[in-house]
Amino acid sequence: DTVRASGGKNSARTLIVTTYAASITGEAVNALKVPDDGNIIVSIHSYAPWKFTTLEFPEETDFTDSGKAEIDKGLDFLYGTFVFNGIPVFICEFGAENKDNAEERAEYFSYYVEAAAERGIPCFIWDNGKENGYGLLNRRDCTWYDESLIDSLMAAVS
């Protein structure tokens, strides 16, 4: 109400709301009170499967069928909660840290983007610029750390 009443184009501006900590958990999503307004988009972060996507578990380098199932479960939950009910949602952060497993990460990126698109959920990959992290783009010289990852992403969205 505050934004809508502040004047200018704010009466019709699209606003983004998010859950606590942008979390995809059932508790966080179910606690979100989406305003009754036709110009709202819900924003979520989702790093599923966590053990594959983070350096916190360096031994988890394979993108498995159980990882795919975890992604599908989260996306189905978002679809049923928001998209099915006419509320746009997007994944504003997802990604997998570099564990010297480029082939597995490429499969992960392709799977994630395609699965989200099937449910009408756009997503944005998180790139922290670190080659041994979530980075894809070397920001010093504007080159990709691993072009095969970018190729897999582009193939998934075309």
Side-chain angles (χ1 to χ4, degrees):
D1 292 339
T2 301
V3 173
R4 295 292 182 234
S6 66
K9 295 185 181 191
N10 290 327
S11 62
R13 185 179 309 278
T14 299
L15 301 176
I16 297 172
V17 298
T18 192
T19 61
Y20 176 77
S23 177
I24 192 174
T25 66
E27 184 177 27
V29 169
N30 292 327
L32 178 64
K33 303 283 188 263
V34 178
D36 186 18
D37 181 304
N39 263 347
I40 300 290
I41 300 173
V42 176
S43 169
I44 300 288
H45 296 182
S46 178
Y47 291 90
W50 181 248
K51 288 184 178 182
F52 172 77
T53 63
T54 179
L55 288 173
E56 189 177 328
F57 299 92
E59 70 284 354
E60 298 287 336
T61 58
D62 295 332
F63 181 51
T64 63
D65 287 343
S66 66
K68 292 174 184 175
E70 187 177 336
I71 290 168
D72 289 338
K73 181 179 177 184
L75 293 172
D76 286 343
F77 176 54
L78 293 177
Y79 178 85
T81 304
F82 299 115
V83 179
F84 181 78
N85 293 302
I87 301 167
V89 63
F90 71 101
I91 306 290
C92 66
E93 278 188 28
F94 86 102
E97 290 189 277
N98 183 357
K99 299 179 186 180
D100 292 323
N101 61 339
E103 216 172 282
E104 295 291 315
R105 287 173 74 210
E107 182 183 351
Y108 164 80
F109 291 141
S110 292
Y111 187 86
Y112 204 113
V113 170
E114 289 173 0
E118 288 171 4
R119 294 161 176 87
I121 301 173
C123 42
F124 296 82
I125 194 164
W126 177 249
D127 182 343
N128 64 359
K130 297 179 181 176
E131 183 175 11
N132 293 319
Y134 290 101
L136 297 172
L137 178 66
N138 180 334
R139 294 174 183 159
R140 288 192 184 109
D141 62 11
C142 290
T143 59
W144 301 113
Y145 288 121
D146 186 333
E147 205 154 324
S148 70
L149 296 175
I150 304 308
D151 291 343
S152 69
L153 280 165
M154 296 309 292
V157 298
S158 50

PDB file of all heavy atoms in Angstrom, residues 140-158:
ATOM      1  N   ARG A 140      37.454  -9.931 -14.810  1.00  0.00           N
ATOM      2  CA  ARG A 140      38.672  -9.156 -15.125  1.00  0.00           C
ATOM      3  C   ARG A 140      38.870  -9.004 -16.629  1.00  0.00           C
ATOM      4  O   ARG A 140      39.260  -7.958 -17.112  1.00  0.00           O
ATOM      5  CB  ARG A 140      39.892  -9.816 -14.497  1.00  0.00           C
ATOM      6  CG  ARG A 140      39.947  -9.655 -13.008  1.00  0.00           C
ATOM      7  CD  ARG A 140      41.309 -10.059 -12.448  1.00  0.00           C
ATOM      8  NE  ARG A 140      41.261  -9.969 -11.011  1.00  0.00           N
ATOM      9  CZ  ARG A 140      41.266 -11.014 -10.206  1.00  0.00           C
ATOM     10  NH1 ARG A 140      41.367 -12.234 -10.690  1.00  0.00           N
ATOM     11  NH2 ARG A 140      41.209 -10.843  -8.900  1.00  0.00           N
ATOM     12  N   ASP A 141      38.625 -10.104 -17.367  1.00  0.00           N
ATOM     13  CA  ASP A 141      38.858 -10.025 -18.819  1.00  0.00           C
ATOM     14  C   ASP A 141      37.625 -10.366 -19.653  1.00  0.00           C
ATOM     15  O   ASP A 141      37.711 -10.542 -20.855  1.00  0.00           O
ATOM     16  CB  ASP A 141      40.050 -10.897 -19.221  1.00  0.00           C
ATOM     17  CG  ASP A 141      39.835 -12.376 -18.921  1.00  0.00           C
ATOM     18  OD1 ASP A 141      38.696 -12.787 -18.597  1.00  0.00           O
ATOM     19  OD2 ASP A 141      40.819 -13.135 -19.012  1.00  0.00           O
ATOM     20  N   CYS A 142      36.486 -10.441 -18.992  1.00  0.00           N
ATOM     21  CA  CYS A 142      35.200 -10.690 -19.670  1.00  0.00           C
ATOM     22  C   CYS A 142      35.225 -11.949 -20.532  1.00  0.00           C
ATOM     23  O   CYS A 142      34.788 -11.941 -21.690  1.00  0.00           O
ATOM     24  CB  CYS A 142      34.782  -9.466 -20.489  1.00  0.00           C
ATOM     25  SG  CYS A 142      34.316  -8.083 -19.451  1.00  0.00           S
ATOM     26  N   THR A 143      35.732 -13.036 -19.952  1.00  0.00           N
ATOM     27  CA  THR A 143      35.699 -14.349 -20.602  1.00  0.00           C
ATOM     28  C   THR A 143      35.022 -15.324 -19.652  1.00  0.00           C
ATOM     29  O   THR A 143      34.950 -15.091 -18.441  1.00  0.00           O
ATOM     30  CB  THR A 143      37.123 -14.862 -20.920  1.00  0.00           C
ATOM     31  OG1 THR A 143      37.868 -14.958 -19.702  1.00  0.00           O
ATOM     32  CG2 THR A 143      37.838 -13.935 -21.906  1.00  0.00           C
ATOM     33  N   TRP A 144      34.536 -16.418 -20.225  1.00  0.00           N
ATOM     34  CA  TRP A 144      33.907 -17.452 -19.405  1.00  0.00           C
ATOM     35  C   TRP A 144      34.984 -18.351 -18.816  1.00  0.00           C
ATOM     36  O   TRP A 144      35.945 -18.696 -19.490  1.00  0.00           O
ATOM     37  CB  TRP A 144      32.949 -18.289 -20.247  1.00  0.00           C
ATOM     38  CG  TRP A 144      31.854 -17.489 -20.873  1.00  0.00           C
ATOM     39  CD1 TRP A 144      31.675 -17.259 -22.208  1.00  0.00           C
ATOM     40  CD2 TRP A 144      30.797 -16.800 -20.204  1.00  0.00           C
ATOM     41  NE1 TRP A 144      30.574 -16.469 -22.405  1.00  0.00           N
ATOM     42  CE2 TRP A 144      30.013 -16.163 -21.184  1.00  0.00           C
ATOM     43  CE3 TRP A 144      30.438 -16.643 -18.869  1.00  0.00           C
ATOM     44  CZ2 TRP A 144      28.892 -15.413 -20.883  1.00  0.00           C
ATOM     45  CZ3 TRP A 144      29.318 -15.877 -18.563  1.00  0.00           C
ATOM     46  CH2 TRP A 144      28.564 -15.285 -19.559  1.00  0.00           C
ATOM     47  N   TYR A 145      34.801 -18.747 -17.568  1.00  0.00           N
ATOM     48  CA  TYR A 145      35.725 -19.709 -16.963  1.00  0.00           C
ATOM     49  C   TYR A 145      35.640 -21.040 -17.693  1.00  0.00           C
ATOM     50  O   TYR A 145      36.650 -21.686 -17.911  1.00  0.00           O
ATOM     51  CB  TYR A 145      35.416 -19.906 -15.476  1.00  0.00           C
ATOM     52  CG  TYR A 145      35.786 -18.727 -14.618  1.00  0.00           C
ATOM     53  CD1 TYR A 145      34.829 -18.081 -13.854  1.00  0.00           C
ATOM     54  CD2 TYR A 145      37.097 -18.257 -14.571  1.00  0.00           C
ATOM     55  CE1 TYR A 145      35.167 -17.003 -13.054  1.00  0.00           C
ATOM     56  CE2 TYR A 145      37.445 -17.178 -13.776  1.00  0.00           C
ATOM     57  CZ  TYR A 145      36.478 -16.550 -13.016  1.00  0.00           C
ATOM     58  OH  TYR A 145      36.812 -15.487 -12.232  1.00  0.00           O
ATOM     59  N   ASP A 146      34.436 -21.454 -18.041  1.00  0.00           N
ATOM     60  CA  ASP A 146      34.243 -22.719 -18.754  1.00  0.00           C
ATOM     61  C   ASP A 146      33.081 -22.534 -19.725  1.00  0.00           C
ATOM     62  O   ASP A 146      31.913 -22.540 -19.328  1.00  0.00           O
ATOM     63  CB  ASP A 146      33.956 -23.853 -17.773  1.00  0.00           C
ATOM     64  CG  ASP A 146      33.885 -25.204 -18.440  1.00  0.00           C
ATOM     65  OD1 ASP A 146      33.547 -25.283 -19.645  1.00  0.00           O
ATOM     66  OD2 ASP A 146      34.168 -26.209 -17.761  1.00  0.00           O
ATOM     67  N   GLU A 147      33.410 -22.365 -20.971  1.00  0.00           N
ATOM     68  CA  GLU A 147      32.388 -22.076 -21.970  1.00  0.00           C
ATOM     69  C   GLU A 147      31.389 -23.223 -22.138  1.00  0.00           C
ATOM     70  O   GLU A 147      30.242 -22.995 -22.545  1.00  0.00           O
ATOM     71  CB  GLU A 147      33.043 -21.734 -23.311  1.00  0.00           C
ATOM     72  CG  GLU A 147      32.138 -20.888 -24.139  1.00  0.00           C
ATOM     73  CD  GLU A 147      32.872 -20.006 -25.127  1.00  0.00           C
ATOM     74  OE1 GLU A 147      33.961 -19.507 -24.818  1.00  0.00           O
ATOM     75  OE2 GLU A 147      32.315 -19.831 -26.216  1.00  0.00           O
ATOM     76  N   SER A 148      31.769 -24.452 -21.812  1.00  0.00           N
ATOM     77  CA  SER A 148      30.839 -25.576 -21.933  1.00  0.00           C
ATOM     78  C   SER A 148      29.635 -25.398 -21.008  1.00  0.00           C
ATOM     79  O   SER A 148      28.532 -25.828 -21.336  1.00  0.00           O
ATOM     80  CB  SER A 148      31.541 -26.904 -21.661  1.00  0.00           C
ATOM     81  OG  SER A 148      31.881 -27.029 -20.284  1.00  0.00           O
ATOM     82  N   LEU A 149      29.847 -24.762 -19.854  1.00  0.00           N
ATOM     83  CA  LEU A 149      28.726 -24.509 -18.946  1.00  0.00           C
ATOM     84  C   LEU A 149      27.748 -23.518 -19.556  1.00  0.00           C
ATOM     85  O   LEU A 149      26.533 -23.693 -19.475  1.00  0.00           O
ATOM     86  CB  LEU A 149      29.235 -23.971 -17.604  1.00  0.00           C
ATOM     87  CG  LEU A 149      30.109 -24.921 -16.793  1.00  0.00           C
ATOM     88  CD1 LEU A 149      30.636 -24.233 -15.555  1.00  0.00           C
ATOM     89  CD2 LEU A 149      29.346 -26.177 -16.429  1.00  0.00           C
ATOM     90  N   ILE A 150      28.282 -22.505 -20.192  1.00  0.00           N
ATOM     91  CA  ILE A 150      27.440 -21.506 -20.841  1.00  0.00           C
ATOM     92  C   ILE A 150      26.708 -22.135 -22.023  1.00  0.00           C
ATOM     93  O   ILE A 150      25.513 -21.893 -22.225  1.00  0.00           O
ATOM     94  CB  ILE A 150      28.283 -20.298 -21.300  1.00  0.00           C
ATOM     95  CG1 ILE A 150      29.051 -19.697 -20.124  1.00  0.00           C
ATOM     96  CG2 ILE A 150      27.413 -19.256 -21.999  1.00  0.00           C
ATOM     97  CD1 ILE A 150      28.215 -19.360 -18.910  1.00  0.00           C
ATOM     98  N   ASP A 151      27.409 -22.970 -22.783  1.00  0.00           N
ATOM     99  CA  ASP A 151      26.772 -23.662 -23.910  1.00  0.00           C
ATOM    100  C   ASP A 151      25.592 -24.509 -23.433  1.00  0.00           C
ATOM    101  O   ASP A 151      24.532 -24.536 -24.082  1.00  0.00           O
ATOM    102  CB  ASP A 151      27.788 -24.539 -24.654  1.00  0.00           C
ATOM    103  CG  ASP A 151      28.827 -23.720 -25.400  1.00  0.00           C
ATOM    104  OD1 ASP A 151      28.618 -22.506 -25.620  1.00  0.00           O
ATOM    105  OD2 ASP A 151      29.877 -24.295 -25.751  1.00  0.00           O
ATOM    106  N   SER A 152      25.753 -25.204 -22.313  1.00  0.00           N
ATOM    107  CA  SER A 152      24.652 -26.041 -21.791  1.00  0.00           C
ATOM    108  C   SER A 152      23.482 -25.185 -21.353  1.00  0.00           C
ATOM    109  O   SER A 152      22.328 -25.553 -21.579  1.00  0.00           O
ATOM    110  CB  SER A 152      25.132 -26.953 -20.655  1.00  0.00           C
ATOM    111  OG  SER A 152      25.443 -26.205 -19.500  1.00  0.00           O
ATOM    112  N   LEU A 153      23.762 -24.052 -20.737  1.00  0.00           N
ATOM    113  CA  LEU A 153      22.685 -23.145 -20.348  1.00  0.00           C
ATOM    114  C   LEU A 153      21.944 -22.612 -21.567  1.00  0.00           C
ATOM    115  O   LEU A 153      20.707 -22.586 -21.595  1.00  0.00           O
ATOM    116  CB  LEU A 153      23.240 -21.983 -19.533  1.00  0.00           C
ATOM    117  CG  LEU A 153      23.511 -22.236 -18.078  1.00  0.00           C
ATOM    118  CD1 LEU A 153      24.378 -21.142 -17.471  1.00  0.00           C
ATOM    119  CD2 LEU A 153      22.194 -22.351 -17.319  1.00  0.00           C
ATOM    120  N   MET A 154      22.695 -22.176 -22.560  1.00  0.00           N
ATOM    121  CA  MET A 154      22.076 -21.603 -23.755  1.00  0.00           C
ATOM    122  C   MET A 154      21.264 -22.639 -24.522  1.00  0.00           C
ATOM    123  O   MET A 154      20.201 -22.332 -25.050  1.00  0.00           O
ATOM    124  CB  MET A 154      23.151 -20.975 -24.650  1.00  0.00           C
ATOM    125  CG  MET A 154      23.875 -19.788 -24.010  1.00  0.00           C
ATOM    126  SD  MET A 154      22.771 -18.527 -23.338  1.00  0.00           S
ATOM    127  CE  MET A 154      22.055 -17.883 -24.832  1.00  0.00           C
ATOM    128  N   ALA A 155      21.754 -23.866 -24.567  1.00  0.00           N
ATOM    129  CA  ALA A 155      21.007 -24.923 -25.251  1.00  0.00           C
ATOM    130  C   ALA A 155      19.694 -25.201 -24.516  1.00  0.00           C
ATOM    131  O   ALA A 155      18.667 -25.493 -25.140  1.00  0.00           O
ATOM    132  CB  ALA A 155      21.856 -26.186 -25.343  1.00  0.00           C
ATOM    133  N   ALA A 156      19.723 -25.112 -23.185  1.00  0.00           N
ATOM    134  CA  ALA A 156      18.527 -25.407 -22.391  1.00  0.00           C
ATOM    135  C   ALA A 156      17.450 -24.345 -22.573  1.00  0.00           C
ATOM    136  O   ALA A 156      16.262 -24.650 -22.450  1.00  0.00           O
ATOM    137  CB  ALA A 156      18.900 -25.525 -20.916  1.00  0.00           C
ATOM    138  N   VAL A 157      17.831 -23.125 -22.858  1.00  0.00           N
ATOM    139  CA  VAL A 157      16.836 -22.057 -22.979  1.00  0.00           C
ATOM    140  C   VAL A 157      16.393 -21.807 -24.410  1.00  0.00           C
ATOM    141  O   VAL A 157      15.519 -20.991 -24.649  1.00  0.00           O
ATOM    142  CB  VAL A 157      17.314 -20.729 -22.343  1.00  0.00           C
ATOM    143  CG1 VAL A 157      17.548 -20.895 -20.855  1.00  0.00           C
ATOM    144  CG2 VAL A 157      18.544 -20.199 -23.027  1.00  0.00           C
ATOM    145  N   SER A 158      17.006 -22.493 -25.362  1.00  0.00           N
ATOM    146  CA  SER A 158      16.607 -22.244 -26.744  1.00  0.00           C
ATOM    147  C   SER A 158      15.601 -23.260 -27.236  1.00  0.00           C
ATOM    148  O   SER A 158      15.208 -24.137 -26.617  1.00  0.00           O
ATOM    149  CB  SER A 158      17.812 -22.228 -27.663  1.00  0.00           C
ATOM    150  OG  SER A 158      18.640 -23.332 -27.481  1.00  0.00           O
TER     151      SER A 158
END
